[in-house]
């Protein structure tokens, strides 16, 4: 077994050797705690049959732990300066492939087809760059990738929003978008002290396991998400006011919106944050039928 990358000492050695300076704009906070890394890999249930996709390998702290357990690891890294470092730190592992690319621009379907032939179990595992957490998660979900799920470190505040239940302050359109596609669970919270440099927010690890079917029946997904987003546009406003003010042509549709709320048995004075995903589905289905 090779020396772990993710110890404070080895990480400092590597950074010094290459004269690497962190770019805050790329969300570069590297993990220096192998226990946390192992727990992340455990939470993802990586086996010798699993193909792992990593986003932002940094100097390879998580990549190495994945490589020891997975069949193959494919990692997207945007920062060219890290490529020679990764070639060095990960040289003991033959099952790792680094792709120098912005993950938001990547054709991940194609990468899976090229890199994971004969692999049926695929997990995304990452310590995400915090400046693009939500766009990355939404891309991974809406690309409808053939993956089992994702285990990711992110800001604790965002993790809480992703897993939030109706009636809580964290519940919003992001919770519904994520829980429509996956079962979301916060696995652990992580102190800032395990990163270098330390971020100025607390972190958490979230596990998102892809659902085989959405938990609710929706006739028109795009419209459903439009209704959900409009309902949360101003949190303190009622569902009726939010829909009237934030749906396209909402003001001219006030009567239909009122009728749709009544037909869906939703009191128009309620706030969006009290509605379950099932209620949003019924409401958007009823309203959609009225508008056709
Ligand atoms: N995995 C390493 C670790 O845990 O120590 C590094 C994690 S660090 C929080 C985020 C990494 O993502 C950095 O290496 C950064 O350069 C990379 N990154 C930032 N934006 C990216 C993007 N759009 N696509 C791919 N990688 C990105």
């Amino acid at each position: 077994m090779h020396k772990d990358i993710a110890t404070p000492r080895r990480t400092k050695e590597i950074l010094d050797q290459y004269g690497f300076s962190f770019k805050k704009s790329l969300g570069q906070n590297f993990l220096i705690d192998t226990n946390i890394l192992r727990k992340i890999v455990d939470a993802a249930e990586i086996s010798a049959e699993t193909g792992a996709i990593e986003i932002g390998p940094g100097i390879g702290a998580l990549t190495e732990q994945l490589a020891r357990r997975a069949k193959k690891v494919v990692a997207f890294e945007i920062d060219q300066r890290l490529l020679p470092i990764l070639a060095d730190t990960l040289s003991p592992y033959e099952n790792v492939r680094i792709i120098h690319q912005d993950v938001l621009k990547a054709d991940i379907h194609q990468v899976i087809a090229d890199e994971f032939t004969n692999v049926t179990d695929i997990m995304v595992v990452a310590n995400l760059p915090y400046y693009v957490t939500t766009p990355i998660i939404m891309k991974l979900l809406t690309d409808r990738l053939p993956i089992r799920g994702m285990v990711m470190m992110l800001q604790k505040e965002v993790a809480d929003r992703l897993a939030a239940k109706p009636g809580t302050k964290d519940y919003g359109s992001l919770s519904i978008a994520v829980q429509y596609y996956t079962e979301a669970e916060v696995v652990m919270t992580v102190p800032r002290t395990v990163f270098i440099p330390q971020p100025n927010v607390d972190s958490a690890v979230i596990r998102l396991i892809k659902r085989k079917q959405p938990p609710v029946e929706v006739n028109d997904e795009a419209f459903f998400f439009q209704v959900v987003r409009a309902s949360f546009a101003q949190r303190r406003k009622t569902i009726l006011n939010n829909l009237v003010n934030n749906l396209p042509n909402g003001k001219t549709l006030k009567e239909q919106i009122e009728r749709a709320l009544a037909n869906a048995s939703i009191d128009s004075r309620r706030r969006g944050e009290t509605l379950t995903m099932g209620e949003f589905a019924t409401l958007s289905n009823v309203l959609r039928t009225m508008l056709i």
Side-chain angles (χ1 to χ4, degrees), residues 26-31 54 56-58 61 76-79 82 101-103 127-129 131:
L26 290 180
Q28 292 179 335
N29 302 94
F30 296 170
L31 274 165
E54 191 190 352
F76 293 94
E77 177 54 64
I78 199 171
D79 188 348
L82 289 165
Q101 196 176 18
D102 176 346
V103 72
N127 169 18
L128 287 178
Y131 76 107

Side-chain angles (χ1 to χ4, degrees), residues 39-40 43-44 123-128 130 133 137 149-164 174-175 178-179 182-190 203-209:
K39 283 187 192 159
I40 294 174
M123 273 304 269
V124 176
V125 188
N127 169 18
L128 287 178
Y130 290 176
T133 305
I137 293 178
M150 329 173 192
V151 169
M152 293 180 300
M153 173 95 77
L154 60 170
Q155 303 96 303
K156 179 174 180 306
E157 183 205 322
V158 179
D160 287 341
R161 278 164 52 203
L162 301 188
L174 189 61
S175 329
V178 165
Q179 294 170 38
T182 70
E183 286 192 55
E185 179 194 359
V186 176
V187 177
M188 60 176 164
T189 54
V190 177
S203 299
V205 174
I206 192 145
R207 176 167 48 207
L208 305 176
I209 298 297

Side-chain angles (χ1 to χ4, degrees), residues 29-175:
N29 302 94
F30 296 170
L31 274 165
I32 47 167
D33 185 319
T34 46
N35 272 331
I36 300 277
L37 286 164
R38 279 191 214 108
K39 283 187 192 159
I40 294 174
V41 180
D42 286 345
E45 298 184 5
I46 303 290
S47 78
E49 305 305 316
T50 310
I53 298 176
E54 191 190 352
I55 295 153
I59 59 170
L62 174 60
T63 328
E64 166 182 74
Q65 303 295 332
L66 289 168
R68 287 182 188 158
R69 287 207 230 163
K71 182 166 186 175
K72 184 171 181 181
V73 186
V74 174
F76 293 94
E77 177 54 64
I78 199 171
D79 188 348
Q80 185 155 19
R81 301 173 306 152
L82 289 165
L83 301 185
I85 306 182
L86 287 163
D88 175 10
T89 57
L90 298 174
S91 61
Y93 307 98
E94 285 178 357
N95 57 345
V96 176
R97 166 126 155 69
I98 305 293
I99 299 180
H100 176 217
Q101 196 176 18
D102 176 346
V103 72
L104 290 174
K105 299 193 178 139
D107 181 348
I108 306 180
H109 276 282
Q110 192 58 51
V111 169
I112 288 176
D114 294 343
E115 302 289 340
F116 291 129
T117 34
N118 300 326
V119 180
T120 50
D121 181 47
I122 301 175
M123 273 304 269
V124 176
V125 188
N127 169 18
L128 287 178
Y130 290 176
Y131 76 107
V132 277
T133 305
T134 312
I136 291 177
I137 293 178
M138 289 318 294
K139 175 183 164 67
L140 294 169
L141 293 175
T142 52
D143 273 3
R144 297 183 185 256
L145 301 169
I147 59 176
R148 172 160 50 93
M150 329 173 192
V151 169
M152 293 180 300
M153 173 95 77
L154 60 170
Q155 303 96 303
K156 179 174 180 306
E157 183 205 322
V158 179
D160 287 341
R161 278 164 52 203
L162 301 188
K165 297 286 171 244
T168 64
K169 71 172 179 21
D170 293 321
Y171 182 66
S173 52
L174 189 61
S175 329

